[in-house]
Amino acid sequence: MTSSYWDYVARRFGIMMLVVFLAVSINFALPRLMPGDPIENQLNQLMASGGGAMGDVGAMVASYRARFGLDQSILTQYLAYWQSVFSLDLGYSLTNYPERVGDAILAGLPWTLGLLGFATLVSFTIGTLLGGLMGWPRSPRFLKTFGSGVLLLSSVPYFLIGMILLYLFAVVFRIFPAGGGMPFGMSAGFNFETFRAIAWHATLPLLSIIIAEIGAWAIGMRGMMVSVLGEDYIALADAKGLKPKRIFLRYGMRNALLPQMTKLAMALGHIVSGAILVEVIFSYPGIGFRLYQAIQSKDYFVIQGIVLLLSVSIAVAMFILDLIYPLIDPRIAKGK
Amino acid sequence: MGRLSFFASELTGNKTLFFGLSLMLMICLLAVLGPLFVDFANSRVGATIPRSPPTMEHWFGTDGQGRDMFTVMILAMPQTLRIGLTSGLISLSVGVALGLIAGFVGGWVDTVIRLASDVMMTIPGIAILVLVAANVREMTVELMAVIVATLSWMVAARTIRAQTLSLRERGYVQVARLNGTSGLKLVFVEVLPNLLPFIAASFVITVSNAMLATVGLEALGLGPQNELTLGMTIYWAQFYGAIIRGMWWWWGPPILAIATIFVGLMLTSAGMDSFVNKRLGASS
């Protein structure tokens, strides 16, 4: 690798570190900038609403006071906060007291990763193909009309599409379940039944993300396809008398695909924060739904933990992707 | 006059832009004029019989708290648009200023601005928004606009920086500089007018992003609790299980309104894109 690659890597690494630093600092600073004592406030509210187990409140206050170290200097607190982040000790849930924030996140993560990973890959495949065909002059007309409809749909936020799907297919026609990740009370096992139940429950949330995302992939691909088709080598291939299908696949699609791959990598990086609201609409047990519940019950440490996870995971994912791009497309490292 | 007729011919030739702008104009007219014709009292909790499907008296039905949905929609629309437009304007001004400075001054100033926008782009906006919103005791329309704006200036900054860099090296700017035109005058007289199409395009994208963030936050219940907005209406509908209970008139209208706004914004943006890129193609 050339030195320009390492300069680029160093720069990207610096950005990642800055993002992590900022995310942790914001997490530390925000509750302290607000008037009042966040823990006191939260717990009082909790007491007033009668939530949580009463006996634990005293222990909780003490534990949080110790964690916040509110009597110590701000610098000590800040360093202590960093230490707790590094040791992945994110505290306890306020509403489900003995539950640790880390465990709450771990419980939700597989659901979110599965749902969004699958939805992203499917919508990428369909959208890219659709976009390629839309940019190809020999495509049938109905395809372009259909494509324009899909493009319009993609401008609508995905959770709105989810609400309509939920109403149609779970309330009016009771085909799919209205929420949850699998049937209530079912114990998960590594067998076909479990797999089927999970797929059944995931269908509507998957569909709403896929419908909303296809258009975005198609737009990008169509644009690239149109500009690729303007290149000289396409004219040459045409003059050589190559079959249109071959020109479309080997010369057109193949060259237009690179920017799409870059975007796919980026989308995979954003996967965790992607569809918080879809999970909310379908009560899907991922971390998006957990975040929503935490916001509902003002479960501050869970909110904080999930936000931290989102920021750090994206920063790390982006860095890994930045490392890979120049290997695929050498122009990137040279250009920046 | 010449400019105006050019604009008019552009509009009739560019159907996408025409439809997009018409749609946006219609929405804005409805948002501005609508509130003049409705009785605010009908939007209060307990104003009417709750959970009533659409009737002659209540065109859009009533929600679970007895608010007349038609009145709610008419009053919520301008609020949502206000947040989107205000934060769009704020982030556009910040973005354009930073983009111009970065492109013109260059050196370490450029590096710092570029680094800041890279970092901000990597941080997931919605996550930070959730954290801020969860910490604020009472959310207002203005505060919401500012928070959303701080997280959406980057697109404008990047576009304008790239354009400034390319404009800076153009012949007429060089000539003006050689003629002794000072830096500030150079920016405002020579460069800025040529950036207008890009600024307009960035504005539409910025407003669109801001609206998306706003509606998302509101639907999570982090919007202004004491105001009527489209996103908060969806939040309450979701909170009280309106979908499962089959009360389609509760969540249907806000979804339709939001979808219309986004379709309008997308058509405008797509139309502008071909407009901007055509000029780019012609001048280079």
Side-chain angles (χ1 to χ4, degrees):
Chain A
M1 281 289 129
T2 55
S3 67
S4 77
Y5 176 73
W6 293 112
D7 282 354
Y8 164 84
V9 168
R11 187 180 142 75
R12 291 286 140 180
F13 184 76
I15 289 176
M16 177 185 71
M17 295 314 283
L18 254 175
V19 170
V20 173
F21 172 77
L22 268 179
V24 174
S25 301
I26 291 173
N27 262 295
F28 171 81
L30 270 179
R32 286 170 178 77
L33 289 174
M34 299 298 149
D37 177 344
I39 299 163
E40 200 86 49
N41 288 341
Q42 311 287 348
L43 291 178
N44 280 341
Q45 231 160 17
L46 220 63
M47 295 283 275
S49 64
M54 288 300 193
D56 293 332
V57 169
M60 277 163 75
V61 173
S63 131
Y64 286 121
R65 290 225 167 278
R67 168 175 316 285
F68 266 58
L70 290 177
D71 46 339
Q72 317 225 333
S73 78
I74 202 89
L75 188 69
T76 323
Q77 290 181 43
Y78 185 57
L79 292 176
Y81 187 75
W82 268 102
Q83 196 189 359
S84 71
V85 167
F86 270 121
S87 53
L88 295 178
D89 175 17
L90 298 170
Y92 294 96
S93 160
L94 284 170
T95 36
N96 305 333
Y97 169 59
E99 187 186 26
R100 303 191 123 257
V101 172
D103 296 337
I105 291 175
L106 279 183
L109 211 50
W111 293 101
T112 300
L113 289 179
L115 183 71
L116 274 128
F118 193 70
T120 307
L121 291 179
V122 171
S123 53
F124 168 80
T125 313
I126 302 178
T128 303
L129 204 61
L130 182 69
L133 287 171
M134 284 173 75
W136 178 243
R138 293 173 220 221
S139 298
R141 181 169 281 270
F142 76 87
L143 201 77
K144 292 181 187 178
T145 323
F146 170 72
S148 317
V150 175
L151 294 198
L152 275 189
L153 262 186
S154 77
S155 62
V156 179
Y158 46 77
F159 63 94
L160 299 185
I161 296 175
M163 288 174 88
I164 295 169
L165 287 181
L166 177 64
Y167 179 67
L168 284 181
F169 295 108
V171 178
V172 179
F173 312 107
R174 299 170 181 270
I175 305 172
F176 290 103
M182 57 171 123
F184 202 70
M186 182 179 175
S187 56
F190 198 75
N191 53 36
F192 181 70
E193 275 308 299
T194 313
F195 179 76
R196 208 184 74 100
I198 289 176
W200 198 240
H201 278 74
T203 306
L204 288 184
L206 277 178
L207 266 183
S208 49
I209 304 172
I210 292 172
I211 292 175
E213 285 279 286
I214 285 178
W217 294 112
I219 291 177
M221 190 63 185
R222 187 186 59 177
M224 271 316 290
M225 195 68 181
V226 168
S227 68
V228 163
L229 291 181
E231 300 280 340
D232 290 340
Y233 58 81
I234 298 284
L236 177 66
D238 211 23
K240 278 200 291 189
L242 293 179
K243 286 206 185 75
K245 194 181 158 199
R246 190 179 155 88
I247 299 180
F248 174 70
L249 285 177
R250 297 290 289 276
Y251 292 74
M253 285 298 268
R254 202 177 155 185
N255 288 301
L257 213 54
L258 192 68
Q260 286 290 100
M261 299 298 284
T262 319
K263 264 187 254 162
L264 174 66
M266 235 142 106
L268 289 174
H270 275 91
I271 230 165
V272 185
S273 69
I276 295 173
L277 277 156
V278 166
E279 288 182 6
V280 171
I281 300 291
F282 291 100
S283 325
Y284 204 74
I287 58 166
F289 186 53
R290 195 69 184 79
L291 179 65
Y292 172 76
Q293 287 177 319
I295 293 171
Q296 288 298 308
S297 55
K298 298 203 179 346
D299 196 343
Y300 191 79
F301 294 97
V302 175
I303 301 179
Q304 209 181 28
I306 292 179
V307 167
L308 195 66
L309 168 85
L310 294 181
S311 324
V312 173
S313 67
I314 288 176
V316 174
M318 294 299 277
F319 174 65
I320 295 172
L321 299 170
D322 284 334
L323 288 184
I324 302 171
Y325 292 162
L327 306 181
I328 307 173
D329 186 357
R331 284 171 299 182
I332 290 172
K334 292 213 178 91
K336 287 193 178 173
Chain B
M1 252 346 260
R3 239 205 154 106
L4 204 67
S5 65
F6 167 73
F7 189 64
S9 76
E10 184 63 40
L11 266 188
T12 46
N14 189 337
K15 278 206 192 97
T16 319
L17 187 59
F18 177 74
F19 279 128
L21 283 178
S22 316
L23 209 54
M24 290 317 292
L25 193 71
M26 226 173 64
I27 294 164
C28 288
L29 274 180
L30 191 67
V32 172
L33 298 179
L36 301 177
F37 297 101
V38 296
D39 183 4
F40 281 63
N42 281 333
S43 70
R44 299 216 177 94
V45 171
T48 60
I49 304 156
R51 293 180 291 279
S52 149
T55 57
M56 281 308 284
E57 200 186 344
H58 304 292
W59 295 349
F60 287 6
T62 62
D63 72 2
Q65 272 74 47
R67 280 180 280 236
D68 172 48
M69 279 307 292
F70 182 74
T71 315
V72 168
M73 288 317 297
I74 292 292
L75 295 178
M77 192 102 109
Q79 297 279 38
T80 298
L81 287 176
R82 231 176 82 202
I83 301 179
L85 285 177
T86 316
S87 65
L89 272 177
I90 298 174
S91 54
L92 182 76
S93 344
V94 174
V96 168
L98 288 179
L100 273 177
I101 294 172
F104 243 92
V105 180
W108 66 269
V109 178
D110 181 31
T111 310
V112 168
I113 293 175
R114 220 149 47 102
L115 197 67
S117 87
D118 274 355
V119 167
M120 291 298 281
M121 279 207 170
T122 310
I123 290 185
I126 187 86
I128 301 299
L129 284 171
V130 163
L131 199 64
V132 175
N135 274 292
V136 174
R137 193 145 308 173
E138 203 193 309
M139 189 55 87
T140 60
V141 169
E142 290 76 18
L143 187 60
M144 187 98 176
V146 173
I147 295 175
V148 171
T150 27
L151 292 152
S152 49
W153 52 269
M154 295 84 71
V155 179
R158 289 200 157 186
T159 318
I160 298 305
R161 174 182 173 272
Q163 291 308 319
T164 308
L165 279 180
S166 97
L167 278 176
R168 198 173 66 165
E169 304 308 324
R170 297 272 166 83
Y172 67 93
V173 179
Q174 302 277 35
V175 169
R177 187 181 287 145
L178 285 178
N179 282 345
T181 314
S182 76
L184 221 53
K185 208 177 159 200
L186 208 62
V187 172
F188 282 103
V189 179
E190 305 291 343
V191 174
L192 209 54
N194 288 297
L195 285 177
L196 282 180
F198 296 97
I199 293 178
S202 311
F203 179 62
V204 178
I205 297 173
T206 314
V207 168
S208 189
N209 285 344
M211 294 276 296
L212 198 64
T214 308
V215 170
L217 269 192
E218 286 169 358
L220 278 173
L222 292 168
Q225 298 262 351
N226 301 325
E227 311 249 14
L228 294 169
T229 64
L230 295 176
M232 287 310 281
T233 311
I234 287 185
Y235 169 71
W236 290 121
Q238 159 74 18
F239 188 83
Y240 288 109
I243 305 179
I244 305 296
R245 289 156 73 186
M247 294 167 69
W248 53 269
W249 60 89
W250 190 348
W251 50 268
I255 284 190
L256 204 66
I258 294 174
T260 314
I261 293 174
F262 278 109
V263 167
L265 281 169
M266 197 201 74
L267 287 176
T268 312
S269 161
M272 274 190 169
D273 202 35
S274 63
F275 179 65
V276 167
N277 282 332
K278 194 169 67 195
R279 292 199 47 168
L280 184 68
S283 58
S284 66

